[in-house]
Each structure stands twice: as structure tokens, then as C-alpha cells.
Amino acid sequence: MAVSPTASSLNFSWKAVSGAPQYRIAIATSASMSDAVFHWFTTPSGQVRGLKSGTTYYAKVRVITATGASLSAYSGAVAGKTSSAPTPLPAISHPLLVASYNIKCANCNDGLANELTWSGRRAAVVATIKSKAPDVIGLQEASQGWLKDDSRPGGLAQFEDLQQRLKSAGVPYALTNAKRNNCVKDTTPTNCVYSNNGASQGTKIMYNANTVSLVSQGSIKLPALKAADNQRYLAWAVLKQKSTGKTFFFGDTQLDASKTSGYYDLRKRQTQAIVADIVKLNVNHLPALMVGDFNSHKWTLPSNAPYDVMMGANFVDPLGNTYQNDIPSAAATAEVRIRSNYDSFNGFERRARARNTSGNGTYLDYIFTSKMRVSKWETVLNIDTNGNFIGTIPSDHNMVDATVQLP
């Protein structure tokens, strides 16, 4: 059995056994294997994560049945030592804070136990965003529909209401595209005469005008399964960080949420379209960030297809939150993780959802990056020491943010 290390994992490979249903690796810090723990793999290779840096481990492998019964004796034990912990990097000189937040559309209240209407929870959404003041934030479900309980003349869309309230709170956020609808009269879809205004329904990008400026923007429709389905978009923008003068590409989306037949493949096709569109739009190969609610996670069956598509396009998940594994992969780039063990979807439950105490939670919401330094990842939660939300739960999703340094 061959072994290669990283600071927190060991990669193993061994000779395949014809017809083997799966393999089990026993790994221990003692040569006697007295403290062994076990890992299962369906291929003749695998990565064991969450190990202590600079530590020698002993491992051996055997063939087992699909139900775990032994089909062979263990191989001889091999020793492997994890690498030393990397030297901490210096602080980022010009941090760029990016975020993704599904704020739940104002006109689709589900009447859940802790769910308030938009008028009852929008102050909490404003407070959440203001508490971190991201330079750029991709919003989902920031609806273009008029608020039903707002009597201001001309009506007000949810994303307009949010932007105005943030501005009143002292954060000068601007929308990359303020159009409600792709109609000649963009304020209403009634009797729409089509015009490509770059509108993208509730998928909106906001930026802090003090720290970032807009270069260009637009939106592209994504594939749909049925004409009656809610249209999905890639909202995109090229922005400039004022402190460095560096430009970057930023994309935002919300994929179809349906769990019925055909929509797993649709989410895969929608992500493939996003990747293809980014290639066409980002002709100068700028540093790229792609955020959004992909409505797919690491426990989705048969796979987390949107994630796999993004990884295949050379994007990076700072959390290394790979399929059916809570421990970050060796490819994780986030240097500091804050509450990443909490799920990004909370369902308005008073106790915040979490899978474990130290690894990765389950995420529908992502921040993918091109190759760049990510000094911090945070799942933003206002919770007490027992993990319960304090006060109003702002949305059924938690905001996620990441601090990056543009290359």
C-alpha cells in the first residue's frame, strides 16, 4: 500500500482486487493498531482526513462485502507521517469580503413556527448584512414583485426595499442592475413587451459603493424544464476593488429547487450553462467568484452534480466540503473557518442546524472562487451558547461570507 501525506490527511492507494465490493482501511497512531479507526472505500485508493499534523500513522487494508463482512485478511501495515502544519500566512493587505444570502421572497411565506413576514424580519436581514458589510453580496429571492403590505406610491420591490433600508442604515449599497423585469416598462410584467434589461428576477448583486465600483453587468437565462417553471438566471458583473484597482468577475444564481423527476439533471445542466457563460463573459480571465443557492448539497442523491460541475471547471470550494464527508478535504483553502459546521439552510428552526462541532455542515449556499487566497470563511449566525437563534430569524437560509485577496 502506497501512502502520501498532507498536513491533515493521508492519501492511500493499493493494488485492486478483482470483483472487490469495497475496501476497509484500519488506521491508528500505534503500530499495534490498538486505537484503530476504520474507513470504507469503493475504489483501490482513498483519503483519510482530519489527522494531526506531524504525526505518524499506521494503516492496513482488507477487502470487505457491501455489508462490511471480511472477504480477506488485512494487508501488512504501512507507516505514513502527516506533514508539519504550514506556517501561518501574513494578514491580507487588501481584503475583499464577498457574501451570498438567500433572504426568502417576501410574497412566499410558508407560515412556519418562527417565520415572520418580510415586514417582520427585514430589519434582521438588514442587521445581518450590516454586521459584516460585505463589499459584494449575491442575493437570492430578493423578489422583483411588489410588496403586498407596502403602500408607497408606485409600489416597491423587495430588493428595492432592502437596498433603501441598508442605505438608511449607513451602508451605501448599489445594485448592479436595478431593473425589475425584462420589459419595455420594467416596473411591471403586465402586458410585457420584451426588452433585455439584464433583469434577473430575485437574483440580484449589490456592492458597497465606497469600496467597489461597477464596470459592466448583465444576466443570462438558464435552461428550464417546463415553460411554467420560475425562470432562473445567472446575474453577473465585472467590478473593481477601489483600494487596489483590480477588477474581478462576480456571478450569482439560484438553481431550480424542485425535487421531482428531471430536476436533478436540470440543476446539472443549469450549472454547466453557468460555467459556459462565465467562459464567454470573462474573456480577460479575471479572478472569478461564483456564489448562490445551488439547491444541491453533499448528501443529495445520486451526487452533488452542481458542485461536481464547478470543481470540474477549476473553481475552488474554500471549505473543501466534498461529497458525503464532513471533514474538509486537503483542497480546502479557507485559512480560518467560523461556524462552518453549521448548515446554510435553517428552515426557521429556533435551534440552528449543525452536523458536527468542528468540520463542515451541509450547504445549499456556496462561494466558489478561482485560484486566490481565502483568509476567512464564516457562516453568519446570531445564536446563543446553546446554538439557538437570538430574536428574529432573518431568513430560512444563513448568510455565508468569505474574505479573499484578489491575485
Side-chain angles (χ1 to χ4, degrees):
M1 183 162 55
V3 56
S4 61
T6 73
S8 61
S9 66
L10 289 172
N11 299 294
F12 297 96
S13 60
W14 56 90
K15 186 177 180 179
V17 175
S18 179
Q22 58 180 346
Y23 304 88
R24 179 166 59 216
I25 286 181
I27 185 168
T29 57
S30 169
S32 68
M33 306 299 292
S34 58
D35 59 344
V37 293
F38 304 93
H39 300 265
W40 288 261
F41 300 97
T42 57
T43 60
S45 64
Q47 182 184 72
V48 177
R49 306 177 189 169
L51 305 179
K52 294 180 180 179
S53 60
T55 303
T56 298
Y57 289 87
Y58 301 87
K60 53 187 181 179
V61 64
R62 78 189 323 170
V63 179
I64 60 174
T65 68
T67 57
S70 299
L71 287 178
S72 76
Y74 273 113
S75 66
V78 298
K81 186 176 182 180
T82 53
S83 308
S84 299
T87 302
L89 295 169
I92 285 178
S93 56
H94 293 279
L96 180 76
L97 184 62
V98 298
S100 182
Y101 200 6
N102 182 325
I103 64 172
K104 188 160 189 180
C105 56
N107 297 329
C108 50
N109 188 287
D110 293 320
L112 300 175
N114 300 299
E115 180 183 9
L116 300 179
T117 62
W118 174 244
S119 62
R121 59 187 179 84
R122 60 189 171 190
V125 171
V126 168
T128 299
I129 297 174
K130 186 182 177 183
S131 71
K132 302 300 173 182
D135 298 294
V136 189
I137 179 170
L139 300 169
Q140 304 88 44
E141 296 194 30
S143 175
Q144 82 282 12
W146 292 3
L147 297 177
K148 295 177 180 178
D149 57 354
D150 195 293
S151 59
R152 278 172 278 190
L156 200 70
Q158 185 180 10
F159 70 80
E160 295 167 340
D161 186 34
L162 176 60
Q163 187 224 358
Q164 289 181 17
R165 289 177 183 277
L166 282 165
K167 192 171 183 179
S168 297
V171 189
Y173 278 107
L175 290 153
T176 60
N177 187 299
K179 299 293 186 180
R180 294 180 186 172
N181 301 282
N182 287 312
C183 306
V184 172
K185 183 180 180 182
D186 76 274
T187 55
T188 175
T190 303
N191 299 321
C192 178
V193 176
Y194 180 79
S195 174
N196 184 4
N197 299 321
S200 48
Q201 296 197 16
T203 301
K204 291 289 183 181
I205 301 171
M206 289 197 308
Y207 62 97
N208 186 331
N210 282 341
T211 61
V212 173
S213 60
L214 179 64
V215 178
S216 57
Q217 60 79 32
S219 70
I220 298 177
K221 280 186 179 182
L222 299 179
L225 198 61
K226 301 175 182 177
D229 287 344
N230 187 28
Q231 183 64 56
R232 306 291 170 161
Y233 288 87
L234 164 66
W236 65 272
V238 172
L239 300 145
K240 180 183 288 187
Q241 185 182 27
K242 291 185 176 180
S243 64
T244 62
K246 294 180 178 180
T247 53
F248 60 98
F249 181 92
F250 189 92
D252 179 29
T253 197
Q254 183 186 23
L255 303 187
D256 202 294
S258 178
K259 295 180 176 63
T260 56
S261 177
Y263 287 91
Y264 166 86
D265 288 332
L266 176 63
R267 283 185 287 275
K268 182 177 181 179
R269 289 195 293 116
Q270 288 175 333
T271 313
Q272 289 170 334
I274 287 170
V275 167
D277 290 335
I278 291 175
V279 170
K280 294 176 184 176
L281 293 165
N282 190 16
V283 293
N284 293 321
H285 306 290
L286 300 172
L289 299 128
M290 181 66 214
V291 312
D293 175 3
F294 284 72
N295 273 307
S296 182
H297 54 74
K298 64 185 177 185
W299 307 106
T300 299
L301 296 174
S303 71
N304 190 357
Y307 186 97
D308 294 341
V309 171
M310 294 299 292
M311 295 301 99
N314 295 319
F315 276 88
V316 177
D317 166 25
L319 293 181
N321 202 4
T322 55
Y323 197 58
Q324 296 188 350
N325 202 318
D326 290 337
I327 300 171
S329 74
T333 55
E335 297 161 18
V336 174
R337 294 180 294 115
I338 301 173
R339 292 176 173 163
S340 66
N341 60 307
Y342 283 87
D343 297 356
S344 72
F345 181 77
N346 64 60
F348 286 110
E349 296 170 7
R350 181 55 59 184
R351 185 172 181 81
R353 296 183 182 184
R355 281 200 52 80
N356 51 67
T357 58
S358 60
N360 287 324
T362 299
Y363 284 83
L364 295 171
D365 306 273
Y366 298 88
I367 298 173
F368 295 111
T369 76
S370 58
K371 291 181 179 180
M372 65 182 67
R373 189 174 163 198
V374 181
S375 65
K376 179 184 70 69
W377 170 286
E378 182 172 3
T379 302
V380 183
L381 299 148
N382 183 22
I383 53 177
D384 61 23
T385 55
N386 294 317
N388 295 316
F389 279 99
I390 298 170
T392 300
I393 302 174
S395 173
D396 57 350
H397 289 245
N398 301 317
M399 187 173 84
V400 295
D401 67 36
T403 301
V404 307
Q405 178 169 286
L406 297 175

